[in-house]
Amino acid sequence: MGRRQPSRAAEALAAVVLLALSAACGSRLPESDFTPGDHSRAPARATREPIRVGIITSATSPVGGSTFTGPRDGARAWFDRLDARGGIDGRRVEVRLCDDGGSGVGNNECVHRLVDEEKVVALVATTALDYAGAPRVSRAGVPDIGGQPIGAAYDTWPHLYSIYGSHAPRNGTPGWDGELYGGTEVYRYFTREHGARTAAVVSYNQSASAAYARLVERGLKAEGYQVVTEQVDFALPNFRAVAADLKEQGADLVFDALDTHGNAQLCRAMDEVGAQVTAKVTNVQNWASTVPGDYKDAPRCRNALWATGSSRNYQDTGHPAVREFRAATKGLKTHSQWQLEGWAAARWFTDAARSCARTGVTRACVDAFVDRSAGYTAGGLLLPVDFRRLPEPPRTSRTCLSVARWRDGEGWVTQGDMNRTCFTVPQLAYRP
């Protein structure tokens, strides 16, 4: 069975970098299940007291209204479908939403309202730019299930459960004595599967962007790559000059610490100068159906886009759990990997609540179910998740990857079985 690394915090750091850049320049960033028998039954009437859950989203944050809403929309779709089929043991799930505005003050207000006033049993699919209220959630013993780890909160506090899992002690200090760890599996994948040996890392001359670029460079070098570093001016970027140098250097791969707007400009410049690469690698945030519009001026580079993550491709409708997700979200204008992960988070809560139905759906019971999760996959949507607390960070980890490539006319095309695309890789430390 595939396993993931102790922390997806390195990817979370990329999210923080991109979001910070986006806020600055005004761009948008882009296992009990329902069985066939359950589907065929007439839905029971949900007449008992509803089960109340909360979803905190930075929906009106400075980085744009649609940046964070994918997990929320996926979770709501799951709960709407669940309630239409009778809820949990005849109890409807009542979803309370809170938009924290992307600020720490707003986040604390959301936590106070949902946790203290509305007494939600759990938070689900939290997606917050500044999760300032995380300590309060933890102290209240409220399980936060399947949140997106934007920042280090999910590797810091007990009762917080990232959609990607964590092996950190979660004792109030990030990671292990303030250090988080990330693996080199993405770089290993492109070496093993595509023979890539030269990689370019493009960043802005801005502190957060440059810091993340150095982390990527370190990982690439650990995997034996020849690394080409490129930096552009944040205010007046000359992407054409960067693209020309990428062509001259013969880079196989391009990684970046840029926002979506910068990525689109870089791709356009690469097309203009004829720079062709094996892969222009992006992350789960940009794994969405909006690619044609985001990269409309760069058809060659657009078709070299690859994304990596820890969840099954939202276009993989050959899998029954993905088909359920797509059927329930067919009314949405766009689809994304974050929507699928929000759906998986809501499913996770549902499995926990069902396990508690006889004794009482309480915060403590739901928390205990999630905390002892070992190999949870949300019916095959996620790589196996667990929260075993390791006293010391591992030097290596067996890690699996979900990989997809963009193809015009097809969208995101799955590359191999995510449960078999696995590597034993070193874990590199960094401070959030």
Side-chain angles (χ1 to χ4, degrees):
M1 178 177 287
R3 293 185 297 174
R4 66 187 71 219
Q5 65 269 46
S7 172
R8 296 294 299 188
E11 186 168 289
L13 178 59
V16 173
V17 169
L18 297 177
L19 293 168
L21 294 170
S22 185
C25 67
S27 309
R28 183 187 64 79
L29 290 174
E31 135 144 312
S32 70
D33 36 277
F34 290 123
T35 64
D38 290 326
H39 292 164
S40 64
R41 294 178 190 155
R45 289 185 61 198
T47 56
R48 299 170 57 199
E49 181 183 357
I51 299 169
R52 188 173 296 170
V53 301
I55 301 178
I56 299 175
T57 308
S58 298
T60 57
S61 73
V63 299
S66 62
T67 302
F68 291 97
T69 54
R72 179 202 68 188
D73 294 344
R76 290 184 71 182
W78 169 271
F79 287 129
D80 286 347
R81 196 167 189 256
L82 178 69
D83 285 345
R85 300 183 174 191
I88 298 170
D89 194 31
R91 299 176 66 183
R92 182 172 60 88
V93 176
E94 185 179 280
V95 179
R96 297 297 179 94
L97 304 179
C98 194
D99 173 14
D100 68 10
S103 74
V105 172
N107 187 264
N108 271 311
E109 290 175 351
C110 281
V111 168
H112 173 65
R113 177 163 72 82
L114 295 176
V115 171
D116 301 326
E117 295 180 354
E118 300 192 12
K119 306 295 184 182
V120 298
V121 170
L123 299 176
V124 177
T126 299
T127 313
L129 178 58
D130 182 356
Y131 199 176
R136 191 173 196 159
V137 173
S138 180
R139 286 195 300 269
V142 175
D144 178 341
I145 302 170
Q148 291 292 337
I150 302 168
Y154 289 93
D155 287 301
T156 302
W157 301 103
H159 310 296
L160 273 61
Y161 303 98
S162 158
I163 194 70
Y164 304 131
S166 174
H167 288 167
R170 292 185 294 137
N171 56 10
T173 300
W176 290 263
D177 297 324
E179 289 190 327
L180 304 180
Y181 288 76
T184 60
E185 61 279 354
V186 174
Y187 320 130
R188 181 77 59 87
Y189 169 82
F190 284 102
T191 296
R192 192 187 78 173
E193 298 296 325
H194 302 284
R197 299 308 310 162
T198 302
V201 184
V202 184
S203 65
Y204 290 120
N205 62 341
Q206 187 263 2
S207 59
S209 178
Y212 179 65
R214 287 193 294 271
L215 180 62
V216 174
E217 180 182 358
R218 184 181 167 206
L220 287 164
K221 287 183 175 178
E223 290 295 331
Y225 281 83
Q226 177 183 338
V227 181
V228 177
T229 58
E230 305 280 355
Q231 193 170 85
V232 293
D233 186 86
F234 183 49
L236 297 170
N238 184 351
F239 285 108
R240 189 177 180 88
V242 170
D245 194 49
L246 294 179
K247 180 180 180 181
E248 183 176 344
Q249 297 284 350
D252 300 314
L253 310 177
V254 176
F255 293 87
D256 68 85
L258 308 173
D259 57 342
T260 299
H261 179 66
N263 265 296
Q265 287 185 293
L266 175 60
C267 267
R268 180 178 180 178
M270 289 171 63
D271 272 21
E272 288 175 350
V273 303
Q276 299 187 44
V277 295
T278 299
K280 172 70 178 68
V281 186
T282 188
N283 59 40
V284 69
Q285 282 181 285
N286 297 318
W287 192 336
S289 62
T290 57
V291 165
D294 293 337
Y295 296 87
K296 63 181 184 300
D297 297 321
R300 185 184 297 113
C301 181
R302 182 173 68 234
N303 282 277
L305 287 175
W306 292 64
T308 65
S310 297
S311 52
R312 190 174 298 278
N313 185 0
Y314 74 87
Q315 287 197 212
D316 187 8
T317 54
H319 193 280
V322 177
R323 283 200 303 274
E324 286 187 342
F325 162 73
R326 292 301 298 267
T329 58
K330 62 184 178 182
L332 296 179
K333 292 182 180 179
T334 62
H335 283 93
S336 71
Q337 205 63 17
W338 264 16
Q339 289 171 358
L340 178 138
E341 291 181 354
W343 169 277
R347 179 173 182 156
W348 200 347
F349 166 79
T350 301
D351 290 342
R354 282 176 171 159
S355 78
C356 300
R358 291 186 179 180
T359 58
V361 182
T362 64
R363 291 173 175 178
C365 183
V366 170
D367 182 78
F369 178 95
V370 181
D371 192 50
R372 64 175 179 264
S373 295
Y376 184 81
T377 69
L381 293 177
L382 305 173
L383 285 170
V385 182
D386 70 67
F387 295 95
R388 290 175 295 121
R389 292 165 172 82
L390 302 181
E392 300 292 335
R395 295 186 178 184
T396 64
S397 180
R398 175 73 171 170
T399 307
C400 301
L401 274 178
S402 175
V403 185
R405 179 180 183 178
W406 179 267
R407 289 288 197 185
D408 285 349
E410 299 178 76
W412 289 103
V413 180
T414 300
Q415 306 293 305
D417 182 345
M418 70 177 187
N419 289 297
R420 296 181 179 180
T421 306
C422 306
F423 312 90
T424 299
V425 294
Q427 297 293 304
L428 306 181
Y430 64 94
R431 290 191 173 271

